[in-house]
Structure formats: structure tokens, C-alpha cells
Amino acid sequence: MTAPYLGNPKRTIEVLQKYEFVFQKKFGQNFLIDTHVLDKIINAAEITKEDFVLEIGPGIGTMTQYLACAAREVYAVEIDKALIPILEDTLQDYDNVTVLNEDILKVDIRKLAEEHNQGKPIKVVANLPYYITTPIIMGLFEEHVPIESITVMVQKEVADRMQVGPGTKDYGALSLAVQYYAEPYIVANVPPNCFMPRPKVGSAVIRLTRHKEAPVKTVDEKLMFRLIRASFNQRRKTLVNSLKNSPELSFSKEEIQAAIAACGFSEGVRGEALTLADFAALTNELKK
Ligand code: SAM
């Protein structure tokens, strides 16, 4: 197998010019042009020759070449059909890669894991298109796709949001959801000059390692996430008012007040002060 040869500005420009490629802003196209960053991502993902890896948005195949060398099999899903002939060219020496021209949000990833990895947990690695980071990550977790880890490049601010706790301005529904399903770890901060074209914001590589068991126990996971969403949709309001006003919930003010009291929270508490364990306790009280 050929060693990865993309990942630097010169080679990237050569490929782009050969195919007269035009960047599509709507697809969040910022291609990696730094081999150190690529090495960091591959190392953090801890890929072995046993692994089936799903890559979201291969672009011109830069990271795909690295993944192909490290993994048993790589499945790369790319929405932009203009990139498909480029990928056929840059990945021609890698016989363990399949490219699918599709929107990742429409792919049945659970089926993919069944067909290519006997239903065993897969690894997801990507330099994500930033406009759909949250739906992609939440989709992977909420659909209960068998996942071992997700190692992705995201906007720095989003990486921060995923790993903070209560009492910070970045704390929100994404923090709680990510931490319910996985252990987040920021691998590296990545400046705009590592991409072509340069994004306007800083980026970070974050690894989310799926928990074997959820860190808190709740009798109704769906209800817990409805409570979390309602609390942060109106984060300046008290918890009672946010939950009472939510169209997703149908508890009376009295029921909510009673549950809050039973959990030992103060009457005027706001959702942003609650931990994951607090939300689980509140869910269990409201279910009683
Ligand atoms: N992996 C390449 C790299 O690191 O150089 C490209 C990363 S670029 C940030 C994001 C890639 O995702 C682009 O190739 C873009 O066309 C693709 N993309 C955007 N939206 C997508 C979607 N909904 N499904 C699949 N791929 C998508």
C-alpha cells in the first residue's frame, strides 16, 4: 500500500488544480494540509488492523489515505459528487477503502456496522463539516449505533462545550448529551493555517470514548433529554418555568415543584446549575 502522500499544501493544490475543483462553502469544505495534525488524529483514534473505520467527509482523501494504512477497512461517506472522481484517483492504491457519495445524515450506520463489522462497535474519524457537527454526533449517539469512539475535528468552541460542567457559560444540552454517552478528551487545538481554505475560527480535535455503561441511571432516557433541552432552551428562566413552558412536556407547575423539592434543589434553581446526575434524579422523580 502506498504511504499517504497528500496532507501538504503543494500536493493538495496539485490535486485541486488537476480537477479544477471549486470549494463549496455550503458543505463546510476546509481540507487539512498539515501532516502533524493528521498524525495526531490517527494516533488519538488508536486505530489497529482489526478496525472498521467510518470517515465522514473524506474531501480529496487526505485523511482517508492515513486511515487506510492503519485500519482493516475504511468506509468514507462524501456528499459532494465533484469529489468522487478525485477520490477514485487519490485512493486507487488503497484496496480497503469504499467511498459512498451520500449525505451522512441519510446513511444507516447501524446497518453499516452490521454488514462490515459484524455489529461490533466501530470507530468514527472525521474532520467534520462544521455546519452539521451537532446533528452528526447526536445522531450517532441517540440512534444507539454501535460506536467505540468518535475522534473528530470540530470548531474549538464546540469542543469546549462538549467537555465543560455546570457553572460555565459554555455548559448546555450538548455538554450533557456528550457526557452521558461518552468520555470527552481534547487531543489538540488546531489553528486555521492547517486548513485550505482557512476557516474563520479555531478548531480542535476531540476524542469521545463511548461509555460501556451510562454514568447515571435514569428510568427514561428520552424524558431526561426532553428536560435537558427544555432547561437550556430558556436558560435564564427558573427550572420550573422552563419545564412548564416547554411544548415537549406536559407536567403541571405543582408536579414540577414537587419533583424539584424531592430532589433537594432550591425552588428558584436554573437548569444550568444542574449536573447530569441531577437531571437523572429529576427524571426519576417526575416519572414516579
Ligand atoms: N476529510 C477532509 C480533510 O480533512 O481534508 C475534508 C474535511 S472538510 C472539513 C468536510 C468534508 O465533509 C467535505 O469534503 C464536505 O464535502 C463533506 N461533507 C459536508 N457535508 C456532508 C454530509 N452531510 N455528508 C457527508 N459529507 C459531507
Side-chain angles (χ1 to χ4, degrees):
M1 203 178 288
T2 318
Y5 59 84
L6 293 167
N8 64 62
K10 186 169 168 280
R11 285 291 176 84
T12 302
I13 290 168
E14 273 168 20
V15 170
L16 297 176
Q17 283 181 346
K18 180 172 167 195
Y19 288 90
E20 296 176 356
F21 179 75
V22 180
F23 284 100
Q24 299 264 7
K25 223 175 174 182
K26 66 172 180 196
F27 290 145
Q29 292 175 336
N30 301 97
F31 298 162
L32 266 168
I33 49 164
D34 187 306
T35 52
H36 300 293
V37 175
L38 285 152
D39 284 333
K40 270 190 197 157
I41 297 173
I42 303 296
N43 287 339
E46 293 181 302
I47 298 158
T48 71
K49 276 288 165 198
E50 310 276 292
D51 290 327
F52 172 82
V53 176
L54 168 67
E55 186 190 6
I56 299 163
I60 61 167
T62 306
M63 193 154 75
T64 326
Q65 293 187 342
Y66 283 73
L67 293 170
C69 289
R72 168 174 57 81
E73 188 181 348
V74 181
Y75 205 92
V77 180
E78 173 56 60
I79 197 169
D80 186 354
K81 69 175 183 322
L83 288 164
I84 304 304
I86 304 184
L87 289 164
E88 276 165 12
D89 180 355
T90 59
L91 300 174
Q92 62 181 314
D93 295 333
Y94 302 85
D95 59 5
N96 57 348
V97 179
T98 308
V99 174
L100 178 70
N101 182 203
E102 185 53 281
D103 177 349
I104 188 65
L105 297 178
K106 294 189 183 143
V107 176
D108 185 345
I109 303 170
R110 178 189 278 277
K111 193 164 149 223
L112 210 62
E114 261 159 37
E115 287 173 358
H116 295 262
N117 209 34
Q118 299 151 338
K120 285 187 300 200
I122 63 169
K123 290 181 178 167
V124 178
V125 184
N127 170 14
L128 283 179
Y130 293 172
Y131 74 107
I132 44 166
T133 301
T134 303
I136 290 176
I137 292 182
M138 292 320 300
L140 289 169
F141 285 141
E142 282 176 0
E143 303 300 317
H144 290 272
V145 174
I147 297 276
E148 189 174 327
S149 63
I150 303 177
T151 308
V152 280
M153 179 86 72
V154 296
Q155 232 173 290
K156 165 92 177 72
E157 189 204 313
V158 175
D160 290 340
R161 258 193 274 152
M162 287 182 194
Q163 61 153 26
V164 291
T168 56
K169 73 168 177 30
D170 288 335
Y171 185 58
L174 182 65
S175 331
L176 284 156
V178 162
Q179 291 163 31
Y180 177 69
Y181 291 109
E183 177 75 41
Y185 163 67
I186 293 189
V187 175
N189 289 324
V190 182
N193 62 4
C194 296
F195 302 87
M196 184 183 291
R198 291 181 186 196
K200 290 203 174 69
V201 292
S203 303
V205 179
I206 188 162
R207 178 181 156 132
L208 310 173
T209 310
R210 187 87 157 89
H211 292 308
K212 296 235 162 19
E213 263 181 58
V216 298
K217 295 263 178 294
T218 165
V219 289
D220 187 338
E221 201 177 289
K222 286 215 163 71
L223 173 60
M224 183 174 81
F225 281 107
R226 286 207 292 274
L227 297 177
I228 290 173
R229 273 196 299 274
S231 307
F232 287 96
N233 275 346
Q234 298 188 305
R235 68 186 289 155
R236 302 312 300 162
K237 291 217 157 85
T238 61
L239 184 62
V240 181
N241 285 333
S242 316
L243 300 188
K244 188 171 63 66
N245 295 342
S246 167
E248 277 196 287
L249 299 166
S250 55
F251 297 107
S252 69
K253 186 171 183 180
E254 291 68 34
E255 283 169 328
I256 300 168
Q257 282 171 325
I260 288 177
C263 288
F265 309 148
S266 73
E267 223 174 287
V269 73
R270 288 194 183 129
E272 63 187 7
L274 302 192
T275 63
L276 189 55
D278 293 337
F279 275 108
L282 185 64
T283 309
N284 298 347
E285 273 307 322
L286 281 166
K287 266 305 241 195
K288 271 184 188 167

